[in-house]
Amino acid sequence: MFSKDIQTQVDKLLSHYPIRQNALIPILHLAQNENEGWLTEAWMQHVADICEVPLTHVEGVVTFYTMFRLKPPGKYHLQVCTCVPCCLVGGTELLEHTEKKLGIHAGHTTDDGIFSIEEMECIGACSFAPAVIVNEDYHEQVTPESMDKMIDELRK
Amino acid sequence: MAEETLVLFKNIRNPKYDKSLSAYKKSGGFKSLKKVFGMKPDEVVQEVKESGIRGRGGAGFPTGLKWSFMAKGTGKPSYLVANADESEPGTCKDRELMLKDPHMFLEGLMIGCYAIGCHHGYVYVRGEYFPSIKSLNEAVDELYADGLLGLDPMGSGFNLDITIHTGAGAYICGEESALLDSLEGKRGHPRVKPPFPAVSGFNGCPTSVNNVETLACMPFILGDNGVEDFKNFGPQNNSGTHLVSLSGHVNRPGVYELRMDVNMKDIIYEFGGGIRNGKKLKGVIPGGSSSPVMTADEVDVLYNFDDLAKKGTMMGSSAMMVFDEDTDVVKLLHRITRFYAHESCGQCTPCREGTHWSRQIIRDFLNGNGSEEKLLRLNRVGGNMMGTTLCALGDAAAMPIQSFVKKFPEEFRKYYATV
Ligand code: FES
């Protein structure tokens, strides 16, 4: 199921660990990236076979960690931190603003599939709060205005 | 104006520094590793012990001692795992190191590997840290290309590999035994101890888990006169500089590198530039969200492990969250308990149930349904989590609850039901 390039990465990962199972989480990341940001049962089965563990083990792992998703995210996944330091300087209001702007609640995706929102616990940018991760990029000291601008840019 | 003491940030604060291997070498990088390769591993552990360095991840356990606990002669490989799962709310210092000067940390990791006889070190980075992961992978590639990793670096005869491992979002994986379960490809559940990781860690082999900042101190400690200089940066038993993540209602939040004899007041008013909008200080959560809260009149104290312990709180991961007079502390505590309820791994009953109950009781208050009896109950729920769980998450959830109730009882009374 992995494309040739990614299969090379999978093989390389496996070579870094004494036991195949050890590479499970990094390989799940690769699988999720291959499948546009979420995992299906077929993908989980495939990774289970690679790591030589039962499917149920993979499902247990996938449901434990917040970064693995069982439904597709938007093309742009907005992860807004509302944990303590962010919350002190407007993170909660920023989340509410984003929800209103996109007309969806955290945990949901817009109908056109472009945006999804996730409420985050601390993402480690507390001294530069409030912080937001968009796909893989950090944005710091985000205001409702800069959020609006970013969303409008991304929509173009 | 108070100034930083630059050891870990000496390159990062240099605007011309580009974090490449050649730039790091030019700044004196890898001299310590070279020296270490000429020493016996036990001698390295001894120097680290003498430096007095205590772990920067939160617990403050002496690093040299931790390394000396590593089981020997087991016939199994030994492992060093860097804990880069930084996720205690308020803490954002390891990210700076990995992003802006990855080689200093990696040299420290390599020194640690040599000290405990580990030929394959792992860095467990939290999955959300995409930019740091990229920065580390590029740095590791540079080290292999240069021959500093792989077979026989610097002609030392000490083969060494390093793998950057990505986690997937779970606060509990910052706890060292949960981290090891996660590294093995499982759900991150804290283990029953003993056995401690030094005896049975990664895949059942002797393992030491050390924080990123702790390891990043090693090139300095093992450098010329490093042990003595390191000790002079702070009072006895609190040696070295540390990275303070300052956040909340200050004018200049940021990560500052400070000696351990700097007064908290100066951190807030000099480094942080005082409270925003000319407001007054109400309190500080001094060491990550799990540390007991301090009121404004308690902050005239040196910011280090022992002085804060004397005040009944802790420095933890050196993450100071400052809040002003307008802050509703009941709401603040609600946000903290929500965090722990979300992150409890669910293994131990007191924590799984206690974190949810406490959140619910505080929500009652916020709905105008508080009472004296509920306040007592909240405190009791906190007490029942203290020391009753496999890992420290139970304590971490209990300490804010009990301290907020004790320090700010009047604020809770505002939310009592008026019948
Ligand atoms: S609380 Fe938002 S980044 Fe730490």
Side-chain angles (χ1 to χ4, degrees), chain B residues 44-98:
Chain B
V44 181
V45 175
Q46 191 53 36
E47 296 233 328
V48 173
K49 261 190 193 164
E50 271 164 32
S51 78
I53 183 171
R54 297 167 68 175
R56 304 296 197 235
F61 192 80
T63 309
L65 198 59
K66 194 174 203 177
W67 286 355
S68 71
F69 290 156
M70 287 291 287
K72 294 207 179 82
T74 57
K76 295 179 187 164
S78 295
Y79 291 106
L80 181 60
V81 180
N83 186 344
D85 191 52
E86 182 164 69
S87 38
E88 175 74 9
T91 319
C92 53
K93 59 182 178 79
D94 296 339
R95 188 180 76 132
E96 295 286 291
L97 289 170
M98 295 186 285

Side-chain angles (χ1 to χ4, degrees), chain B residues 36 40-42 44-45 63-72 76-81 109-121 158 198 206-210 215:
Chain B
V36 161
K40 291 207 188 76
D42 283 348
V44 181
V45 175
T63 309
L65 198 59
K66 194 174 203 177
W67 286 355
S68 71
F69 290 156
M70 287 291 287
K72 294 207 179 82
K76 295 179 187 164
S78 295
Y79 291 106
L80 181 60
V81 180
L109 173 62
M110 292 158 79
I111 291 171
C113 286
Y114 181 77
I116 65 167
C118 157
H119 293 280
H120 196 148
F158 187 82
T207 304
S208 178
V209 181
N210 295 99
L215 292 168

Side-chain angles (χ1 to χ4, degrees), chain A residues 80-87 91 120-132 138, chain B residues 87-92 126 247 321 335:
Chain A
V80 185
C81 178
T82 66
C83 199
V84 183
C86 283
C87 160
M120 301 295 283
E121 294 296 355
C122 182
I123 53 177
C126 325
S127 296
F128 319 97
V132 177
Y138 272 73
Chain B
S87 38
E88 175 74 9
T91 319
C92 53
R126 64 177 298 182
S247 67
M321 288 162 270
R335 187 61 190 88

